[in-house]
Amino acid sequence: MPSLALERVVLGLGGFVLLLILETLCPFRRLVESRWHRYVINVFIAGSNALVLNVVLGGTIMAAYALVEERHLGLLHQLGVGPWGNVILTVIALDGFTYWWHRAYHGVPVMWRMHRVHHSDRDLDVTTSGRFHLTEMILSAIVRFGIVVLWGPLVAAVVIFEIVFGLFNQLEHANLQLPERLDAWLRWVVVTPAMHRVHHSQVPEHTNANYSTIFSWWDRMFGTYRVVTEQRAIVIGLPQYPQPGDVTFGKVLAMPFGPSCQARSQLDGRRLPSPLIA
Ligand SMILES: [Zn+2]
C-alpha cells in the first residue's frame, strides 16, 4: 500500500482552509472573543505540534509502525486479515479506542490538566481542532503506538485512520450548522458540529458527554450521547476561565503546569446519568 504522506498533507490543509472559508462566510454563532487573538494561539499550538510530531518525531513514529507491519505483530496480522479488512477494522478500532482515551482525559486529573487547554477555548471554530497541548499530543502518540503493536494494522491503515480522524476533528469544531434534519440523520452514524458543540459547553453534564470523534455510535453504545436543541444558547469554554485574560497565550501554554491548575477540575470525575439521551 502507498505511504499516503502527500494525501495526508493536502487533505489536512485543504480541509482546514475550506472550513475556515465556510465558517468565515456563513458562521453559525457570533464569536465572543477576538478572532485574531484565538487564531494566533490556536495556530501556534497546532503548528508547533505538527513540527514536533511530524517533522521531529514523524520519521521515528512511521518507522515504528513499519516495524509492526514487517514483523507481522499484532492481532490483525496473526489472524491474516486482508488489506481492506485491515483498513476498515483499524479505522473502527482506533476510533473506538480514542473514545475511551478521550473519556480518560476527562476523568483522570493529571490528564484533564492537559486536555483543559483544548476546552479552555471560549469560541469554537476550525482552529480549535488544533488546540491540544503538546504534552497531550505526545502522551496520545505513545499510547496509540502501544495500541498499534497490539492491534497489528498496516501502516497505510493507520495513516488512513489519521486522515479521516483529522477531517472529522476539523469538521466537528467548525462554526457551522448543518440543516437540522440532515444533522439528525448523520448523527446516527457520525459526529456532526452540533453534536460535538455540546461537548464544549460549560455545563458539566454536557462536557462529559459526546466524546466520539468519527462514529457517533460509541456515545450511544456507552450512555454518553446527548442532544441539545438550543444550540445558540450553549456557552462555550470552561467556567474557570471566563475572561479573555484567563486564556492568554502564556496562560494557555502553562495550563497543565501552572499554580492555577493544581486544584482538580470541578468537572473531573462527574458521573453521568445514563442513558443521557435528551
Ligand atoms: Zn474533551
Side-chain angles (χ1 to χ4, degrees):
M1 279 198 168
S3 72
L4 301 171
L6 181 63
E7 287 84 349
R8 189 178 179 179
V9 173
V10 169
L11 287 169
L13 288 177
F16 181 87
V17 171
L18 178 65
L19 290 167
L20 192 66
I21 292 169
L22 286 175
E23 68 184 12
T24 303
L25 292 176
C26 43
F28 173 58
R29 291 159 53 99
R30 194 196 304 201
L31 303 180
V32 300
E33 200 174 321
S34 155
R35 179 190 302 270
W36 293 105
H37 175 240
R38 292 181 47 258
Y39 278 7
V40 167
I41 294 173
N42 293 352
V43 171
F44 174 85
I45 291 175
S48 50
N49 287 344
L51 193 68
V52 173
L53 289 166
N54 295 330
V55 179
V56 179
L57 298 176
T60 307
I61 292 171
M62 293 307 288
Y65 287 163
L67 199 65
V68 171
E69 184 175 320
E70 282 170 25
R71 300 275 172 93
H72 296 282
L73 301 176
L75 183 65
L76 293 183
H77 285 119
Q78 296 304 313
L79 293 175
V81 176
W84 288 109
N86 191 302
V87 169
I88 293 166
L89 291 174
T90 294
V91 171
I92 294 172
L94 291 185
D95 190 51
F97 162 74
T98 306
Y99 166 85
W100 284 103
W101 188 237
H102 189 180
R103 286 188 68 162
Y105 273 112
H106 280 251
V108 179
V110 70
M111 294 173 72
W112 173 249
R113 278 169 166 257
M114 306 171 195
H115 190 56
R116 70 164 78 189
V117 170
H118 180 61
H119 281 271
S120 68
D121 205 347
R122 298 172 66 244
D123 285 305
L124 209 56
D125 61 26
V126 69
T127 68
T128 313
S129 68
R131 184 185 172 116
F132 292 93
H133 200 272
L134 184 60
T135 53
E136 176 175 348
M137 297 297 286
I138 290 177
L139 179 62
S140 295
I142 292 168
V143 172
R144 184 180 293 171
F145 176 69
I147 296 297
V148 164
V149 172
L150 294 173
W151 184 246
L154 300 169
V155 176
V158 180
V159 176
I160 288 171
F161 163 75
E162 288 179 349
I163 290 172
V164 177
F165 185 88
L167 290 173
F168 270 94
N169 181 40
Q170 291 175 349
L171 174 66
E172 66 206 25
H173 287 98
N175 187 19
L176 298 170
Q177 187 78 343
L178 300 172
E180 201 170 311
R181 288 186 66 177
L182 174 65
D183 194 280
W185 183 80
L186 286 172
R187 279 201 313 271
W188 280 104
V189 184
V190 293
V191 178
T192 64
M195 180 177 165
H196 193 69
R197 193 172 293 119
V198 176
H199 183 69
H200 281 263
S201 161
Q202 288 197 2
V203 178
E205 290 78 9
H206 295 170
T207 312
N208 292 336
N210 294 5
Y211 295 99
S212 303
T213 301
I214 300 176
F215 300 113
S216 59
W217 61 55
W218 307 114
D219 280 298
R220 293 178 183 275
M221 201 181 294
F222 298 113
T224 53
Y225 177 67
R226 186 170 181 92
V227 173
V228 173
T229 50
E230 294 298 323
Q231 287 271 316
R232 289 186 192 278
I234 293 174
V235 179
I236 303 292
L238 293 173
Q240 298 95 323
Y241 308 109
Q243 302 296 329
D246 299 323
V247 285
T248 60
F249 189 76
K251 285 182 179 175
V252 168
L253 292 184
M255 221 169 254
F257 319 106
S260 63
C261 298
Q262 285 178 353
R264 187 177 174 191
S265 164
Q266 293 176 350
L267 303 178
D268 290 343
R270 294 266 178 120
R271 292 273 176 249
L272 285 167
S274 181
L276 249 182
I277 299 174

